[in-house]
Amino acid sequence: MFSPAAKTVAESLGLKMGKANLEVFATTLQSMAELDRDILAVTSDSRGSGKLGPFAQALPDQIVEVGIAEQNLVGVAAGLASAGKKVFAVSPACFLSARALEQIKNDVAYSDNRVNLIGISAGVSYGALGTTHHSLHDVAALRAINNIDIVVPADNHETRAAITLAVDHDKPTFIRFGKAAVYDLYPANAGFDFGKAAVLRDGTDVAFIGTGETVIHCLLAAEHLKQTKGLSCRVISMHTIKPFDVQTVLEAGRECRAVVTAEEHFIFGGLGEACAGALMQAGVMAKLKIVGIPDEYTVTGAQADIYRHYGLSMEGLSTAATALLK
Amino acid sequence: MPYTDRQLQLKSIGYRKKILKYITGAGAGHTGGSLSCTDILTVLYNRVLNVSTQTFKSPDRDRYIQSKGHSAEALFVVLADKGFYDEKELETLCHYQSHWVGHPTRHVPGVEHNTGGLGHGLSIGVGTAIAGKKDNKAFRVFVLLGDGELAEGSNWEAAMAASNYKLDNLIAIVDHNTLQISGRTRDVMSNEPLDEKFKAFGWDVAIIDGHDYPLLTETLGTCRTTGKPLAVIANTVKGRGVSFMEDVAKWHHGVPSEKEYAQAMAELDAAFTAAAEAEKNERVEAGAL
Ligand SMILES: [Mg+2]
């Protein structure tokens, strides 16, 4: 995932490698479920992929298996939620957000059944398995649906906080993350709230706005540009795509000379276009580059290969930023 | 006092008149399917469900999920009769800013889920029934399905799960009127034999006349402990109660003209008068008068 140069920069920042967000999700959910028997995990033959084996062993009455049937997964989750259960429907993001899209729209969002939809192995986490297993449309699809919050945590802290908040959140949620180990980005006891972006470092030359697993690459690019070019770069973790923290984006657009967005998602309908829409509608004419997966047959390879290929890397994001400053 | 079968018949005729009145007023609606499931709703809401304005928020209430959401007008008329809202609200059916749109929504008091996309209700019912089992609740879950709706594959995902989880607190009622928007269900996409399909998915099956109050009452009103969900294949007539609408596909969402409306009302009024007369005689025979 990281070039030798990027690893060196990470070391210089004192960053430590954490666990996979997937693992943190599973242990966080289990520790909450042990204290609250109304918390249920609903799976579509996905307990293994969701690292929920220990959950199922410890709390067999709190896992509902529906088999390989994502439409039923979401419908059943909606029914459970309507009867007072605190439901986490766990399935690979690619299937959950496409196969069951109408159930998400009607039975969860429209009917306001407070299900938490957990999209595991999101984006190109299953890179080498091909496009069937990629979810590069999910944020765009769900942004266009009323009454569901969309959260893409960047590291273990954001994941733990998002899952903890989701239990009693007043709206359905879609929380998507990957399965690779990620660097820890926050100090202990850092805050977190849905809808409030985190400014991980301040700066005025370039604002990097990332979401999910791209945020670390933004941070490394910011440090790299500081070390090599003396640039001052702001780094924002936009962990919540809906509701969208417009204010933080506008501040970045007004206070920085250029804005670079980074997402593990198609460049259509995701973080970048949300930033563009916010900036333009406020009359903030920032120089903007949206880095994500372009509208083409997605390159083959592992998640790291796909990231590197499309410039979701320290090097790629640094290049995008310096091009804007020319 | 519980209603007699004859009194339910009177109620149903009244419901049918209102269904036609409000569909005609709105200039839109699903006429045929609302009329085919009217008697099922009559029995559910007047004899079977422990649902009232007082109990609607209770975690112990029975759940009625209308998966064939397009027959909303039948449900809206019944819920008004049960006191969930003033019937006058139905004059706003399909109007600007009305909650009474062409499919059920939770903005309408008494509605459990927003439905209208087909093939959704049975999964929701399975989830609700699993929750009931987990909490040792006695409530039952009723899901009304259209026969054309059963072409949606999600129904069969749900059917599989229902027997897997031994949900004998779940009852699927198929409004088996054998028609859908394009014509005969067997010509559009044959789903017969329905009973064998449900049996193969591990369900108990009852095939009944969906306009027969005693049979509906016995089949829907009996709590079961078989360890299997129950599919009630209710044989019905689309457009039931109005001669020229009965068993004609175009009345799926046909709206009566002024003349057709008058004729339909005349037929239903005559049926009401005859049933009211019979009801009076039955009370005399029973010694109540
Ligand atoms: Mg039909």
Side-chain angles (χ1 to χ4, degrees):
Chain A
M1 201 64 168
F2 302 94
S3 66
K7 282 183 183 156
T8 305
V9 173
E11 260 169 49
S12 74
L13 285 170
L15 293 174
K16 296 274 180 294
M17 186 60 82
K19 296 174 182 169
N21 288 339
L22 177 62
E23 276 181 60
V24 172
F25 150 71
T27 52
T28 305
L29 186 65
Q30 185 173 337
S31 63
M32 291 190 301
E34 280 164 355
L35 304 174
D36 184 349
R37 55 188 294 277
D38 280 334
I39 294 178
L40 302 180
V42 190
T43 51
S44 51
D45 197 23
S46 46
R47 69 183 64 193
S49 325
K51 299 274 181 221
L52 291 170
F55 182 111
Q57 282 221 308
L59 304 165
D61 293 337
Q62 287 171 250
I63 187 158
V64 176
E65 177 62 65
V66 300
I68 305 169
E70 291 78 15
Q71 296 181 75
N72 198 40
L73 171 86
V74 177
V76 165
L80 287 164
S82 78
K85 299 300 176 188
K86 302 171 183 178
V87 183
F88 290 76
V90 185
S91 186
C94 53
F95 310 131
L96 181 62
S97 64
R99 190 66 164 258
L101 184 60
E102 193 177 85
Q103 278 76 11
I104 295 173
K105 167 179 167 260
N106 293 357
D107 307 335
V108 173
Y110 179 44
S111 275
D112 195 25
N113 287 311
R114 304 213 174 131
V115 174
N116 299 299
L117 300 158
I118 306 300
I120 58 175
S121 298
V124 291
S125 295
Y126 287 136
L129 300 187
T131 291
T132 53
H133 283 59
H134 297 171
S135 65
L136 296 170
H137 61 277
D138 50 350
V139 170
L142 298 187
R143 273 182 79 212
I145 290 173
N146 170 247
N147 196 43
I148 184 163
D149 287 351
I150 303 170
V151 184
V152 188
D155 76 341
N156 294 176
H157 168 72
E158 289 189 358
T159 303
R160 195 177 299 112
I163 298 302
T164 305
L165 280 182
V167 180
D168 292 311
H169 189 50
D170 62 1
K171 266 191 191 176
T173 66
F174 174 66
I175 304 175
R176 61 99 107 166
F177 44 73
K179 63 191 181 71
V182 291
Y183 279 106
D184 289 323
L185 302 177
Y186 288 82
N189 303 322
F192 179 92
D193 203 1
F194 290 152
K196 183 63 198 144
V199 180
L200 298 180
R201 90 157 41 189
D202 206 2
T204 52
D205 288 318
V206 178
F208 288 104
I209 306 177
T211 191
E213 292 183 32
T214 66
V215 175
I216 176 65
H217 300 280
C218 294
L219 186 60
L220 297 177
E223 178 64 16
H224 176 66
L225 290 174
K226 179 184 162 197
Q227 291 179 9
T228 56
K229 296 191 171 1
L231 293 173
S232 140
C233 300
R234 186 174 302 191
V235 177
I236 296 165
S237 175
M238 190 62 78
H239 47 70
T240 310
I241 305 295
K242 207 175 179 185
F244 196 61
D245 185 352
V246 171
Q247 194 54 40
T248 297
V249 173
L250 295 185
E251 283 164 14
R254 287 187 180 116
E255 295 164 13
C256 301
R257 294 158 59 207
V259 177
V260 176
T261 67
E263 62 200 299
E264 187 180 355
H265 188 273
F266 258 56
I267 53 174
F268 300 142
L271 169 71
E273 289 195 348
C275 289
L279 292 166
M280 290 195 75
Q281 290 185 85
V284 179
M285 295 303 136
K287 288 184 172 179
L288 174 71
K289 175 66 182 175
I290 297 173
V291 182
I293 312 298
D295 184 20
E296 65 180 34
Y297 189 101
T298 306
V299 72
T300 56
Q303 182 187 30
D305 297 320
I306 296 171
Y307 263 58
R308 193 176 59 248
H309 181 87
Y310 292 117
L312 290 164
S313 61
M314 180 184 83
E315 294 82 356
L317 292 170
S318 299
T319 304
T322 47
L324 283 182
L325 292 180
K326 273 186 191 138
Chain B
M1 271 289 280
Y3 295 110
T4 64
D5 290 336
R6 187 69 69 190
Q7 287 166 336
L8 288 192
Q9 185 191 359
L10 285 167
K11 265 196 179 291
S12 285
I13 297 169
Y15 292 157
R16 288 191 163 92
K17 288 179 62 179
K18 288 172 184 172
I19 288 166
L20 291 176
K21 174 183 170 186
Y22 294 114
I23 286 176
T24 306
H30 286 84
T31 312
S34 286
L35 296 176
S36 71
C37 69
T38 301
D39 296 312
I40 295 166
L41 287 176
T42 301
V43 170
L44 281 173
Y45 276 91
N46 290 290
R47 272 190 180 158
V48 173
L49 302 174
N50 66 359
V51 172
S52 68
T53 52
Q54 284 77 43
T55 63
F56 185 64
K57 296 287 178 196
S58 163
D60 297 315
R61 72 189 182 282
D62 294 325
R63 309 303 205 276
Y64 171 69
I65 302 165
Q66 187 162 310
S67 194
K68 50 169 289 188
H70 52 280
S71 298
E73 293 84 13
L75 178 60
F76 291 165
V77 162
V78 171
L79 290 176
D81 181 53
K82 301 319 289 179
F84 281 94
Y85 42 83
D86 195 312
E87 193 193 307
K88 274 185 80 69
E89 300 281 8
L90 296 181
E91 290 169 12
T92 71
L93 181 68
C94 292
H95 287 194
Y96 175 60
Q97 292 193 332
S98 173
H99 291 320
W100 284 262
V101 300
H103 295 91
T105 87
R106 286 171 131 178
H107 287 299
V108 172
V111 171
E112 291 280 358
H113 290 278
N114 300 8
T115 53
L118 295 175
H120 289 245
L122 197 53
S123 290
I124 297 169
V126 168
T128 311
I130 291 173
K133 290 277 185 194
K134 284 196 180 297
D135 293 342
N136 292 314
K137 298 274 188 198
F139 71 73
R140 296 193 296 154
V141 182
F142 297 81
V143 180
L144 183 67
L145 302 160
D147 57 342
E149 176 181 10
L150 292 175
E152 292 283 6
S154 49
N155 289 300
W156 303 102
E157 294 183 5
M160 203 182 300
S163 64
N164 181 75
Y165 284 103
K166 303 182 170 39
L167 300 178
D168 50 16
N169 53 348
L170 176 69
I171 298 96
I173 308 164
V174 181
D175 182 7
H176 190 230
N177 57 31
T178 74
L179 285 172
Q180 58 190 100
I181 195 166
S182 314
R184 285 279 162 220
T185 298
R186 66 168 173 265
D187 296 332
V188 178
M189 179 49 64
S190 174
N191 58 23
E192 305 292 346
L194 276 180
D195 54 339
E196 287 180 24
K197 286 194 173 66
F198 276 104
K199 279 178 193 159
F201 276 78
W203 288 55
D204 287 331
V205 176
I207 304 175
I208 63 168
D209 176 347
H211 303 299
D212 183 310
Y213 305 112
L215 269 177
L216 282 166
T217 304
E218 188 193 329
T219 309
L220 302 177
T222 309
C223 288
R224 303 161 58 262
T225 52
T226 63
K228 290 181 175 187
L230 174 66
V232 178
I233 298 169
N235 290 319
T236 57
V237 177
K238 204 157 181 173
R240 168 81 170 193
V242 179
S243 61
F244 59 90
M245 294 179 179
E246 287 194 353
D247 206 29
V248 178
K250 78 158 187 169
W251 285 103
H252 175 84
H253 56 1
V255 177
S257 66
E258 208 175 305
K259 194 174 148 209
E260 287 165 335
Y261 178 69
Q263 189 188 334
M265 284 295 154
E267 286 185 17
L268 289 167
D269 283 336
F272 190 91
T273 305
E277 183 67 24
E279 197 265 342
K280 193 178 156 195
N281 292 338
E282 283 162 10
R283 270 189 293 153
V284 171
E285 279 167 30
L289 282 181

